[in-house]
């Protein structure tokens, strides 16, 4: 079964750090680009970051540039999101999501994890 | 950034109704648009990609059309399991952006 499972969410104080993980199974992980997408409580979806299958290109939304770092470990079938200098507005459910075809992000995201919740509050 | 405006934001409909949701892009995005369905507490589900292609396993009552700046998602005959929130997403350029969502509720 094709599956993504996120972990690492929790409660953190403003200015703190957190590392999210996404474990992939059931498909050849190193063939696919991956995304992080978040959803604040009661709000819509917000794309956070994309990483190519080889890690050769990584993109971020402006509001997280310089604070968040996306990486992957292909032999471990894992995707990561390192989050530093966290703000209240980073509070959200964070999803990892697979690109439909290889690194061709144009086709959208067909496999999603169940999400992990990050709460930034003092 | 490419902005996406969905309309309506909220839609009340009955089982069997034909439902159309519109997504307008602030600039041309060719056909690099996807539609997702999300139910409360669940991850989004891909319905349509490159504007018109039905994702494997998605019922044929869902269809997508459009190119450039105007796109539509149509549900030909609304079923009980279709009551959810629907999002469009542009994949033409970074940052990838989503529309604000359309909640489809039971009339």
């Amino acid at each position: 079964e094709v599956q993504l499972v996120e972990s690492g969410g929790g409660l953190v104080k403003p200015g703190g750090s957190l590392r999210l993980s996404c474990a992939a199974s059931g498909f050849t992980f190193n063939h696919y680009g991956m995304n992080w997408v978040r959803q604040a409580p009661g709000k819509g979806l917000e794309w956070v970051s994309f990483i190519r299958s080889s890690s050769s290109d990584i993109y971020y939304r402006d509001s997280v540039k310089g604070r968040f770092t996306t990486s992957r470990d292909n032999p471990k079938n894992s995707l990561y999101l390192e989050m530093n200098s966290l703000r209240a507005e980073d509070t959200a459910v964070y999803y990892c999501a697979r690109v439909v075809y290889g690194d061709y992000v144009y086709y959208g995201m067909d496999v999603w994890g169940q999400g992990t919740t990050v709460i930034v509050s003092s | 950034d490419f902005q996406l405006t969905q309309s309506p934001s909220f839609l009340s409909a009955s089982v069997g109704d034909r439902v159309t949701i519109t997504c307008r892009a602030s600039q041309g995005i060719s056909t690099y648009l996807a539609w997702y369905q999300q139910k409360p507490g669940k991850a989004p589900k891909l319905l349509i990609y490159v504007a018109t292609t039905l994702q494997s396993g998605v019922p044929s009552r869902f269809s997508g059309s459009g190119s450039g700046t105007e796109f539509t998602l149509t549900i030909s005959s609304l079923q009980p399991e279709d009551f959810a929130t629907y999002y469009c997403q542009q994949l033409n350029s970074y940052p990838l952006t989503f529309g604000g969502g359309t909640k489809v509720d039971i009339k």
Side-chain angles (χ1 to χ4, degrees):
Chain A
E1 180 193 3
V2 174
Q3 197 172 12
L4 296 171
V5 178
E6 301 95 338
S7 60
L11 174 63
V12 61
K13 289 182 168 53
S17 299
L18 214 52
R19 189 195 199 205
L20 306 184
S21 299
C22 170
S25 59
F27 65 98
T28 307
F29 182 68
N30 64 8
H31 286 187
Y32 291 87
M34 297 293 296
N35 295 270
W36 287 101
V37 175
R38 67 185 181 184
Q39 187 168 34
K43 302 295 185 184
L45 300 170
E46 184 174 80
W47 172 80
V48 174
S49 178
F50 167 78
I51 183 169
R52 290 201 189 279
S53 56
S54 64
S55 303
S56 58
D57 292 291
I58 305 173
Y59 301 92
Y60 302 95
R61 66 179 303 100
D62 282 351
S63 61
V64 308
K65 275 181 191 172
R67 299 189 301 122
F68 289 13
T69 302
T70 294
S71 62
R72 61 192 295 161
D73 186 335
N74 284 344
K76 292 186 177 179
N77 292 327
S78 293
L79 173 72
Y80 305 103
L81 183 65
E82 187 80 38
M83 302 186 295
N84 298 314
S85 303
L86 282 161
R87 306 166 180 167
E89 54 265 35
D90 296 318
T91 294
V93 174
Y94 284 74
Y95 297 100
C96 58
R98 187 186 81 170
V99 170
V100 175
Y101 293 120
D103 283 323
Y104 297 105
V105 71
Y106 319 115
Y107 295 102
M109 304 165 197
D110 65 338
V111 181
W112 294 65
Q114 84 289 351
T116 188
T117 300
V118 172
I119 300 172
V120 184
S121 174
S122 54
Chain B
D1 296 1
F2 287 67
Q3 309 298 326
L4 293 179
T5 303
Q6 275 184 248
S7 59
S9 301
F10 181 84
L11 187 161
S12 188
S14 301
V15 172
D17 284 353
R18 181 181 181 87
V19 167
T20 299
I21 299 168
T22 298
C23 179
R24 289 189 173 87
S26 58
Q27 302 172 60
I29 57 171
S30 184
T31 57
Y32 299 133
L33 187 106
W35 289 97
Y36 300 87
Q37 176 194 67
Q38 187 180 33
K39 296 182 179 179
K42 300 294 186 183
K45 173 186 175 183
L46 179 66
L47 299 175
I48 302 278
Y49 58 95
V50 290
T52 61
T53 302
L54 195 67
Q55 169 68 351
S56 176
V58 173
S60 59
R61 63 180 180 273
F62 291 92
S63 64
S65 65
S67 67
T69 60
E70 188 145 342
F71 302 84
T72 59
L73 172 70
T74 300
I75 310 172
S76 60
S77 177
L78 200 65
Q79 297 302 300
E81 59 269 30
D82 300 337
F83 292 97
T85 300
Y86 294 85
Y87 294 93
C88 57
Q89 182 194 28
Q90 70 81 17
L91 302 126
N92 182 76
S93 65
Y94 297 101
L96 307 182
T97 47
F98 290 89
T102 296
K103 185 176 181 180
V104 178
D105 210 342
I106 302 172
K107 197 174 201 176

